[in-house]
Amino acid sequence: MNSTTSMSSVQVVSLVTAILGGLLGSVALAVSLLTYLRDKPKLKVLLQWDMTEIQRGTTRGLIRVTNVGRRPVHLSIVALVLPPKYKHDHLVMTESIQGRRLEEGAKPEGFIVNYDGLAEYKKDWDKIRAVAEDSTGKKYYSELPTKKPSWAN
């Protein structure tokens, strides 16, 4: 008596299909989870000091806000954040008050920082950074500066 068990071709096809379905289903789940996690708005805020305006020959700061996420964002306000020991904790960029919509992949929005009155904060120049707030109240901060700006001399 032959005790070897053999699978019919129908069983082989069913087994291969089941294994393939399990693998492809797992890959699809992983891809959809990664897409879900990436599928949200995200802003990148960059603060640059000592930018020269060629037409007027003046030196100013620049805050650039870029939507690097995958959803449009409504930008509510942009400001400089000061250390807590000062009378004010934020210096708001006036042109940001009306708000702006940043589409996915759109050009960065720029906000000029005038140096008038900043000399008051020159001892703490390395603790001042930019913040952008979206319509949901989420705040995005720039990195702290590493190079001393001219207004702090």
Side-chain angles (χ1 to χ4, degrees):
M1 194 162 169
N2 193 355
S3 65
T4 59
T5 53
S6 63
M7 295 176 56
S8 70
S9 60
V10 173
Q11 290 174 323
V12 171
V13 169
S14 294
L15 180 64
V16 169
T17 304
I19 291 171
L20 204 58
L23 288 173
L24 291 177
S26 299
V27 169
L29 177 65
V31 168
S32 62
L33 280 173
L34 289 174
T35 301
Y36 171 75
L37 293 174
R38 282 186 7 183
D39 201 19
K40 54 185 155 190
K42 182 178 179 188
L43 296 177
K44 182 175 181 180
V45 181
L46 180 66
L47 172 61
Q48 295 176 291
W49 296 117
D50 297 335
M51 304 295 287
T52 303
E53 189 178 343
I54 296 173
Q55 291 83 6
R56 297 185 188 149
T58 57
T59 303
R60 300 174 180 207
L62 176 66
I63 300 172
R64 283 190 294 173
V65 182
T66 308
N67 183 2
V68 293
R70 295 178 46 111
R71 288 283 177 235
V73 179
H74 184 78
L75 186 61
S76 295
I77 199 158
V78 176
L80 291 177
V81 180
L82 301 175
K85 69 181 183 180
Y86 292 103
K87 180 180 177 183
H88 305 288
D89 55 353
H90 288 80
L91 299 175
V92 176
M93 302 297 109
T94 321
E95 66 233 41
S96 75
I97 293 175
Q98 75 272 9
R100 298 187 185 177
R101 182 176 171 91
L102 295 175
E103 297 291 334
E104 173 190 357
K107 67 180 180 77
E109 289 288 339
F111 301 92
I112 300 294
V113 180
N114 196 332
Y115 284 0
D116 295 340
L118 287 181
E120 175 184 348
Y121 312 108
K122 68 181 176 182
K123 286 188 282 185
D124 293 314
W125 67 268
D126 57 338
K127 297 175 187 76
I128 297 174
R129 62 184 179 170
V131 63
E133 187 174 325
D134 67 14
S135 59
T136 65
K138 184 167 182 185
K139 295 180 181 181
Y140 303 87
Y141 293 93
S142 69
E143 293 181 9
L144 291 170
T146 54
K147 184 181 173 196
K148 191 172 188 176
S150 61
W151 58 264
N153 290 328

